[in-house]
Amino acid sequence: MTETTTTALVTGANKGIGYAVAAGLAARGMTVLLGSRDRTRGEQAAARLRAQLATGRPQLAANQARAVANQARTAAGPAQIAVGQAQLAVGQAQLAADQALAAEHHAQVAEPDVRAVVLDVTDPATIEAVAGSLDRLDVLVNNAGISGPTDLTPSRTSAETMREVFETNVIGVLMVTNALLPLLRRSPAPRIVNVSSGIGSLRHHTDPAHYMAALPPSATYPPSKTALNALTVQYAKELRADGFLVNAAAPGPCATDLTKGLPFAITRTAADGAAVVIRLATLGPDGPTGGFFDEDGPVPW
């Protein structure tokens, strides 16, 4: 993808994984529209991100230097090559990619272009307002989501409660995507990433060996992510011929507001979870579509 003029919209991006995704895309030179339901929180997050990126520029040069040094050390290791040539080749390729990315970052001296937009994925008026204000969009990251109650079994869940979660996590994705499709269709490399969860995997819940099989049953968050995965596949089928790459991402458990009520510690950061989302948002033309991926690769449906 040509990232110097690429524009990305991330929903629910004033905090957590959404913010980390926005930061990662902006660091790659994209114009980033930071979606937030609350105008003040969105503007504060955008200002914080611009300052963060501006402060980090000297570090980018240091990263580039380290990448060059690492590549040189790797090339000077014939013993490693003899022991594990294939593994070394992979490492060299990754170092080269890191070097290229660091060089690209270092070359970007313009002020980071991060803009806050008011966007409530359950409010058609805000969706249409954002769509009508844009003249370009290349990447859409449907990140906004809610967990709903975590202590209700399906038999104790009301239709209203289930509907509220699906309204944000599934129908909101539909409304935002459909409103922005005309803009995305004009992009030379349109990408859509739906931020799902491994908890939406039916395989995980039905595999006795997987820890998710032992989680309390729920009719809200897990089914909403399963439905989002299905919606992702259907969009990928429809848009494949138009050059779209549409995928679902499973960021994994991260220490965010969404998980703060869980009865166990989570050490992974929002940036850790954002990595797979960023990767799918910046896929090249030969990248996959209609898939479900975490940081280790494909996730079973």
Side-chain angles (χ1 to χ4, degrees):
M1 297 178 67
T2 302
E3 297 183 346
T4 54
T5 57
T6 300
T7 298
L9 170 62
V10 184
T11 68
N14 60 290
K15 61 182 179 178
I17 291 173
Y19 181 86
V21 171
L25 297 180
R28 285 159 174 74
M30 293 190 188
T31 294
V32 174
L33 306 171
L34 188 153
S36 173
R37 290 183 297 176
D38 184 88
R39 182 182 301 277
T40 300
R41 291 177 182 174
E43 290 175 349
Q44 289 173 343
R48 184 168 69 252
L49 180 49
R50 287 192 294 268
Q52 174 186 330
L53 292 169
T55 302
R57 283 184 195 137
Q59 185 62 43
L60 294 174
N63 291 344
Q64 181 183 9
R66 278 198 297 271
V68 172
N70 287 340
Q71 188 176 30
R73 283 195 296 270
T74 303
Q80 283 182 288
I81 295 175
V83 174
Q85 187 173 13
Q87 182 178 2
L88 181 58
V90 171
Q92 287 177 315
Q94 184 60 54
L95 287 170
D98 290 344
Q99 179 184 4
L101 182 59
E104 179 185 359
H105 285 172
H106 186 51
Q108 293 165 357
V109 295
E111 184 71 16
D113 193 355
V114 179
R115 313 171 195 172
V117 295
V118 177
L119 179 57
D120 181 342
V121 302
T122 67
D123 181 359
T126 66
I127 296 171
E128 293 300 331
V130 170
S133 70
L134 304 180
D135 56 13
R136 172 170 186 159
L137 187 65
D138 304 278
V139 175
L140 171 61
V141 178
N142 287 305
N143 167 75
I146 61 175
S147 64
T150 58
D151 58 349
L152 291 181
T153 60
S155 63
R156 297 169 52 230
T157 301
S158 68
E160 181 180 0
T161 298
M162 185 174 185
R163 188 177 294 114
E164 180 182 5
V165 175
F166 271 67
E167 193 73 34
T168 296
N169 294 0
V170 185
I171 299 173
V173 171
L174 180 84
M175 292 197 298
V176 170
T177 302
N178 287 351
L180 295 172
L181 271 179
L183 284 166
L184 288 165
R185 288 184 186 279
R186 299 206 297 264
S187 170
R191 305 287 180 261
I192 299 174
V193 184
N194 294 330
V195 179
S196 182
S197 168
I199 206 167
S201 168
L202 297 177
R203 173 80 67 82
H204 288 347
H205 286 281
T206 55
D207 178 3
H210 198 282
Y211 79 92
M212 286 188 187
L215 293 177
S218 171
T220 52
Y221 189 71
S224 77
K225 292 305 184 179
T226 305
L228 178 60
N229 290 346
L231 183 62
T232 301
V233 170
Q234 299 308 315
Y235 270 121
K237 287 173 60 179
E238 177 185 1
L239 301 171
R240 186 190 305 268
D242 297 326
F244 282 71
L245 298 183
V246 185
N247 292 287
C254 302
T256 67
D257 283 352
L258 196 69
T259 60
K260 63 183 180 182
L262 295 178
F264 50 84
I266 295 177
T267 58
R268 295 178 73 254
T269 66
D272 292 332
V276 64
V277 182
I278 294 168
R279 186 164 74 243
L280 293 173
T282 56
L283 287 172
D286 296 327
T289 191
F292 184 23
F293 302 94
D294 65 11
E295 60 188 2
D296 298 320
V299 178
W301 300 110

